[in-house]
Amino acid sequence: MRSSDRAWSQLMVATDGPSRARGLLLRRRCSEPLILMPCNDVHTVGMVRKLDIAFVDRCGVVLESYRAVGPMRRLRCPRAVATIERFAECGAWFSEGDRVGLVAYAAQSERKGPTR
């Protein structure tokens, strides 16, 4: 998937230990991916649904990508600094070598500037 092929308007971020360990477990099915940082090792213990998983290096390059990973699996990528996961679904997902980036987004009301 090229960066121009897909953009998510919202995504979830997990940066503390408990939220990274929980990942998508017990979350409602949603289309927003979850970014785990720092993270180079994930598991699907307790998951009912399959996951799409991508490991990303510090430059935003996808090192490894997996589709429809079932329960009771563990995946590791020692060179990764972040992992992106979502509930498996049809449609575009990352491939090795893709570049990933985050863009700051301000709500429409915050972008209007000062009022007179």
Side-chain angles (χ1 to χ4, degrees):
M1 178 176 81
R2 298 191 196 305
S3 58
S4 60
D5 291 343
R6 176 72 191 247
W8 286 280
S9 60
Q10 294 182 357
L11 45 92
M12 300 176 289
V13 179
T15 57
D16 63 26
S19 64
R20 288 193 321 262
R22 184 176 56 249
L24 293 175
L25 185 64
L26 302 177
R27 293 191 190 260
R28 292 179 296 144
R29 186 177 183 99
C30 59
S31 59
E32 296 87 19
L34 173 66
I35 299 177
L36 302 105
M37 300 181 300
C39 179
N40 63 7
D41 187 335
V42 294
H43 66 83
T44 59
V45 174
M47 295 301 299
V48 176
R49 297 181 203 97
K50 295 179 179 182
L51 300 181
D52 294 336
I53 298 170
F55 291 103
V56 181
D57 73 8
R58 69 180 63 252
C59 295
V61 176
V62 175
L63 300 170
E64 297 178 17
S65 179
Y66 301 89
R67 299 290 307 258
V69 177
M72 302 303 292
R73 297 276 315 275
R74 181 178 180 188
L75 299 173
R76 290 173 288 218
C77 181
R79 296 180 297 141
V81 298
T83 303
I84 304 171
E85 61 183 30
R86 71 172 180 187
F87 293 114
E89 57 185 54
C90 296
W93 185 240
F94 301 103
S95 298
E96 290 180 21
D98 285 349
R99 286 201 169 266
V100 176
L102 298 177
V103 177
Y105 173 80
Q108 185 66 29
S109 63
E110 295 174 7
R111 284 191 263 162
K112 290 183 179 177
T115 58
R116 295 181 186 202

